[in-house]
């Protein structure tokens, strides 16, 4: 069912007041892949009365007042994507479209959406119930951070939004505890998995260099970021003027059973009717008939925010739960027999675990896949192969695709099961092209990115095309590549172009210009011009034209001579 988004839907349920109102920068898509929808259903499952306000206008109080004032709290999210990433290209040009907005129209999600929505609420509800921030924008901006769009260090978004609490990471448990505390009239500021503002530093919290210090001193910023990433289960505190930003210890990850339960809730897998008349939402077409098998990523790529937000530990759903969801898809009136994707942040991390640390992926001083795949890592290709086989057998399912990116080094490191998995993917689960993200070819750049070398990539490519030939298919690999990452020069891009042409035999089309996302290692490199792992100076291309030129080196001839193997 849809979470109420209008007063009449609230009344139809016999509710005269909501406990929680969730405000989002996305259109209201009721689907387990959408954070606000997921949190809303989790709260409803626990007995709370919840409503959703999607993309409220900032011009008047009509939208934000639609469902009245909640009894417990307002939950505010920018949506599935940071609003500045959604609204601007890497060259800082305003985007015209937004994949999470009806009709694809840009401009419905305001810049710095969590701040804009928190201000909107305060404008029309004075002295209102607590405002709780969540979602990826708030999560990545929870402590002082580098902001590419103003080329400055900004303070925690909790101060700018003047909000009362911030849920970081995957928020189900934190949100339920917050709601429970508020319903019982208890203090909520120390709930694990949340940040709040305090007058004093809590005892035992690890102190980060202050916002003022990291704003003026890059070394302090680098030290701060190291402490932030290595915090583990500790509380953190960072002075901002005469107040403290306090990050409480994280919540434990959901268990497999808990994740199964969340995905088993009653999602519509559709766009709320109130958004309908303006046109379809592109993101929905991608996710509507896709299955999420796990959350988390231990890839640790320096430029990526997934492990900062979702965590490094993999939590996988049970096979039974995923298969049951596939069965339910077959009852959906719009389902045509095609499951568009089975995966997660990285497709082939389903079932993976750390063999040394009881699955916790807790090493603070090393990465799981770089510089090589850790021998303690237990890949889950066998379970994933079994899962895909079972999904193909679900009556009413004609095709099952793996469209999420595959981590090719993980496949190659898992000698037998990795190859069996790839053979099955090639035989049954590729929709013409399989995505992988080598990002670059040059060792210096790859090392800064935390990505594997080209030897493993070439071996994977050869295996992929060999498997294709052996089953009579003619599918191809799509390579995602990145220009202008810190440490990357024009010469590196020329070498990458040569490598792509001569070794990969492709004219790259999927080339992005690097954007420094808040709270990532690569943003730290971009800001400081140093390799944070050894302190050495690195070249950083900051000039917009220079960044564009790096991309042009790769894409100039992409229109000619398409996809040669
Ligand atoms: S032991 Fe290896 S697999 Fe486990 S967390 Fe550490 S680096 Fe990752």
């Amino acid at each position: 069912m849809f979470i109420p988004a209008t007063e009449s839907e609230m009344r139809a349920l016999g509710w005269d007041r909501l406990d929680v109102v969730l405000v989002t920068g996305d259109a209201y898509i009721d689907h387990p892949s959408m954070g606000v929808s997921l949190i809303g259903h989790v709260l409803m499952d626990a007995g709370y009365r919840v409503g959703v306000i999607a993309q409220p206008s900032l011009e008047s109080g009509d939208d934000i007042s639609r469902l009245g004032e909640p009894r417990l709290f307002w939950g505010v999210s920018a949506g599935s994507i940071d609003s500045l990433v959604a609204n601007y290209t890497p060259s800082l040009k305003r985007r015209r479209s937004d994949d999470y907005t009806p009709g694809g129209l840009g401009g419905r999600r305001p810049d710095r959406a969590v701040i804009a929505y928190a201000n909107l609420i305060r404008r029309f509800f004075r002295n209102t119930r607590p405002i709780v921030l969540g979602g990826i924008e708030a999560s990545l901006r929870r402590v002082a951070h580098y902001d590419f769009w103003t080329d400055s260090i900004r303070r925690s978004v909790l101060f700018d939004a003047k909000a009362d609490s911030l849920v970081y990471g995957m928020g189900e448990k934190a949100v339920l505890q917050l709601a429970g505390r508020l319903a019982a009239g208890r203090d909520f500021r120390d709930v694990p998995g949340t940040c709040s503002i305090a007058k004093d530093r809590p005892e035992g919290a690890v102190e980060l260099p202050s916002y003022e210090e990291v704003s003026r001193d890059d070394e302090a910023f680098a030290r701060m970021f190291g402490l932030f990433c290595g915090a583990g289960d500790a509380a953190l505190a960072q002075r901002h003027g005469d107040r403290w930003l306090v990050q409480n210890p994280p919540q434990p990850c959901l268990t497999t059973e808990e994740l199964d339960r969340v995905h088993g809730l009653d999602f519509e897998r559709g766009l709320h009717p109130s958004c309908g008349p303006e046109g379809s939402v592109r993101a929905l077409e991608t996710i509507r008939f896709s299955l999420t098998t796990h959350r988390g990523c231990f890839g640790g790529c320096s430029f990526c925010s997934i492990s900062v937000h979702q965590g490094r530990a993999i939590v996988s759903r049970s096979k039974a739960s995923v298969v049951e969801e596939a069965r339910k898809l077959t009852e959906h009136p719009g389902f045509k027999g095609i499951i568009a994707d089975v995966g997660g942040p990285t497709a082939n991390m389903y079932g993976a675990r750390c063999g040394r640390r009881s699955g916790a992926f807790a090493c603070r001083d090393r990465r799981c896949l770089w510089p090589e795949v850790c021998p303690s890592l237990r890949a889950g290709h066998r379970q994933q192969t079994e899962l895909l086989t079972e999904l193909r057998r679900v009556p009413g399912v004609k095709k099952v695709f793996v469209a999420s990116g595959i981590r090719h080094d993980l496949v190659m490191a898992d000698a037998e099961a990795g190859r069996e998995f790839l053979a099955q993917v090639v035989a049954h689960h590729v929709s013409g092209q399989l995505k992988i993200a080598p990002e670059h070819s040059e060792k210096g750049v790859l090392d800064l990115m935390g990505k594997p070398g080209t030897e493993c990539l070439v071996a994977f490519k050869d295996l992929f095309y060999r498997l294709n030939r052996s089953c009579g298919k003619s599918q191809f690999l799509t390579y995602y590549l990145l220009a202008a990452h810190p440490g990357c020069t024009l010469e590196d891009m020329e070498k990458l172009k040569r490598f792509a042409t001569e070794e990969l035999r492709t004219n790259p089309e999927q080339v992005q210009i690097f954007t420094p996302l808040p709270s990532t290692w690569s943003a730290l490199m971009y800001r400081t011009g140093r390799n944070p792992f050894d302190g050495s100076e690195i070249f950083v291309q900051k000039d917009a034209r220079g960044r564009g030129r790096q991309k042009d080196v790769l894409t100039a001839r992409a229109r000619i001579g398409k996809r040669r193997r």
Side-chain angles (χ1 to χ4, degrees):
M1 68 175 284
F2 281 112
I3 300 165
T6 62
E7 196 189 345
S8 58
E9 287 170 347
M10 240 175 87
R11 305 271 174 224
L13 292 172
W15 299 352
D16 55 357
R17 189 172 182 190
L18 297 171
D19 295 319
V20 180
V21 174
L22 300 174
V23 182
T24 173
D26 295 328
Y28 172 26
I29 297 171
D30 199 65
H31 191 282
S33 302
M34 305 295 289
V36 158
S37 164
L38 193 82
I39 292 293
H41 278 281
V42 166
L43 282 164
M44 284 192 7
D45 185 49
Y48 295 102
R49 298 175 174 193
V50 185
V52 171
I53 297 176
Q55 302 187 317
S57 163
L58 304 182
E59 305 305 317
S60 76
D62 293 354
D63 290 342
I64 201 68
S65 309
R66 192 194 307 144
L67 302 176
E69 187 178 31
R71 189 175 66 90
L72 298 179
F73 68 92
W74 298 87
V76 172
S77 166
S80 307
I81 190 163
D82 183 286
S83 55
L84 294 172
V85 175
N87 289 347
Y88 295 90
T89 68
S91 314
L92 298 177
K93 296 208 174 86
R94 186 121 201 142
R95 292 187 202 271
R96 290 209 193 96
S97 63
D98 185 328
D99 285 357
Y100 293 87
T101 296
L105 296 174
R108 288 285 292 273
R109 185 195 318 260
D111 291 355
R112 304 193 192 281
V114 290
I115 299 175
Y117 293 152
N119 288 340
L120 180 69
I121 292 166
R122 285 231 164 68
R123 224 163 82 216
F124 293 94
F125 295 91
R126 291 189 187 273
N127 302 319
T128 185
R129 302 299 298 148
I131 296 178
V132 179
L133 312 182
I136 195 154
E137 177 166 302
S139 197
L140 297 186
R141 295 171 183 271
R142 61 189 186 259
V143 296
H145 55 278
Y146 175 67
D147 181 77
F148 171 63
W149 297 269
T150 51
D151 190 22
S152 65
I153 301 287
R154 285 182 69 103
R155 57 186 185 166
S156 164
V157 71
L158 204 44
F159 289 93
D160 287 336
K162 298 184 185 68
D164 301 279
S165 180
L166 182 158
V167 172
Y168 66 90
M170 306 304 276
E172 297 94 342
K173 287 187 175 177
V175 161
L176 284 176
Q177 279 184 25
L178 262 172
R181 295 266 189 109
L182 284 161
R186 291 173 52 207
D187 184 25
F188 57 89
R189 281 162 218 278
D190 61 347
V191 168
T194 68
C195 298
S196 59
I197 295 171
K199 284 202 191 104
D200 301 303
R201 177 163 79 89
E203 214 175 299
V206 174
E207 183 173 345
L208 303 178
S210 71
Y211 158 65
E212 288 75 14
E213 199 182 347
V214 302
S215 304
R216 59 174 183 261
D217 178 358
D218 282 354
E219 271 182 37
F221 182 51
R223 211 167 53 248
M224 180 216 101
F225 194 68
L227 287 167
F228 171 71
C229 289
D233 289 340
L236 298 175
Q238 182 174 43
R239 189 186 273 281
H240 285 60
D242 58 357
R243 290 180 293 168
W244 291 85
L245 181 280
V246 178
Q247 175 178 308
N248 296 311
Q251 286 280 349
C253 293
L254 296 190
T255 62
T256 290
E257 293 71 30
E258 288 167 339
L259 191 58
D260 284 353
R261 180 175 174 88
V262 167
H263 279 270
L265 297 174
D266 182 16
F267 295 95
E268 283 284 336
R269 305 188 95 90
L271 183 65
H272 188 271
S274 64
C275 307
E278 293 162 286
S280 63
V281 176
R282 201 174 307 151
L284 176 60
E285 301 322 310
T286 318
I287 60 172
R288 191 196 294 263
F289 299 120
S290 293
L291 300 173
T292 303
T293 54
H294 61 283
R295 60 170 59 164
C297 179
F298 50 80
C301 301
S302 305
F303 50 81
C304 178
S305 55
I306 288 175
S307 53
V308 186
H309 182 59
Q310 291 205 7
R312 193 170 152 192
I314 300 295
V315 182
S316 298
R317 294 170 62 190
S318 69
K319 253 186 289 168
S321 160
V322 181
V323 171
E324 174 57 18
E325 191 178 343
R327 200 198 53 71
K328 277 197 202 147
L329 287 188
T330 64
E331 293 168 359
H332 191 287
F335 186 66
K336 305 247 171 9
I338 314 287
I339 297 180
D341 185 27
V342 178
T346 298
N348 57 326
M349 288 188 184
Y350 177 71
R353 63 189 175 83
C354 169
R356 208 173 77 192
R357 303 209 173 209
S358 324
F361 291 94
C363 283
R364 295 189 204 171
D365 53 347
R366 57 186 295 189
R367 303 194 198 191
C368 305
L369 296 182
W370 186 89
E372 67 265 328
V373 177
C374 172
S376 296
L377 185 65
R378 304 286 172 264
H381 291 117
R382 193 144 283 147
Q383 289 105 297
Q384 200 172 356
T385 305
E386 287 167 12
L387 173 64
L388 290 168
T389 306
E390 282 195 38
L391 289 173
R392 291 202 305 274
R393 291 183 185 142
V394 173
V397 170
K398 296 180 198 151
K399 266 289 184 196
V400 180
F401 292 120
V402 174
S404 306
I406 279 189
R407 189 78 197 214
H408 59 276
D409 47 343
L410 192 55
V411 171
M412 299 312 284
D414 190 16
E416 220 179 288
R419 279 159 184 73
E420 272 173 33
F421 165 75
L422 188 61
Q424 178 163 161
V425 167
V426 166
H428 302 288
H429 303 291
V430 180
S431 167
Q433 53 183 300
L434 186 72
K435 289 182 217 151
I436 57 172
E439 306 295 358
H440 216 286
S441 60
E442 297 314 289
K443 181 164 169 28
V445 184
L446 289 170
D447 285 352
L448 288 166
M449 290 175 168
K451 281 287 192 181
T454 51
E455 210 176 296
C456 163
L457 171 64
V458 171
F460 179 89
K461 180 205 79 168
D462 291 345
L463 177 62
F464 176 82
Y465 286 116
R466 224 170 30 244
L467 290 168
N468 266 276
R469 282 192 294 275
S470 69
C471 63
K473 302 244 177 183
S474 136
Q475 304 163 132
F476 59 91
L477 287 172
T478 298
Y479 305 95
Y480 282 67
L481 302 170
L482 195 56
H485 186 271
C488 180
T489 61
L490 204 58
E491 196 186 342
D492 289 321
M493 293 308 289
E494 281 157 3
K495 289 180 183 164
L496 171 56
K497 173 73 176 173
R498 266 200 302 281
F499 173 79
T501 310
E502 289 165 15
E503 288 286 349
L504 304 180
R505 297 185 176 274
T506 184
N507 280 319
E509 292 171 49
Q510 298 296 340
V511 184
Q512 279 188 16
I513 300 176
F514 165 72
T515 299
L517 300 176
S519 299
T520 57
W521 286 105
S522 298
L524 174 63
M525 296 176 207
Y526 186 88
R527 164 75 179 186
T528 62
R530 289 194 178 273
N531 176 342
F533 309 113
D534 65 12
S536 61
E537 261 185 53
I538 51 175
F539 170 78
V540 180
Q541 181 53 274
K542 291 192 173 179
D543 174 70
R545 269 177 305 182
R547 283 157 53 79
R549 265 200 304 277
Q550 287 208 8
K551 178 177 175 179
D552 292 345
V553 167
L554 267 186
T555 54
R557 291 177 59 248
R559 289 176 299 279
I560 314 166
K562 290 238 181 191
R563 297 170 195 142
R564 287 173 294 137
R565 278 202 8 228

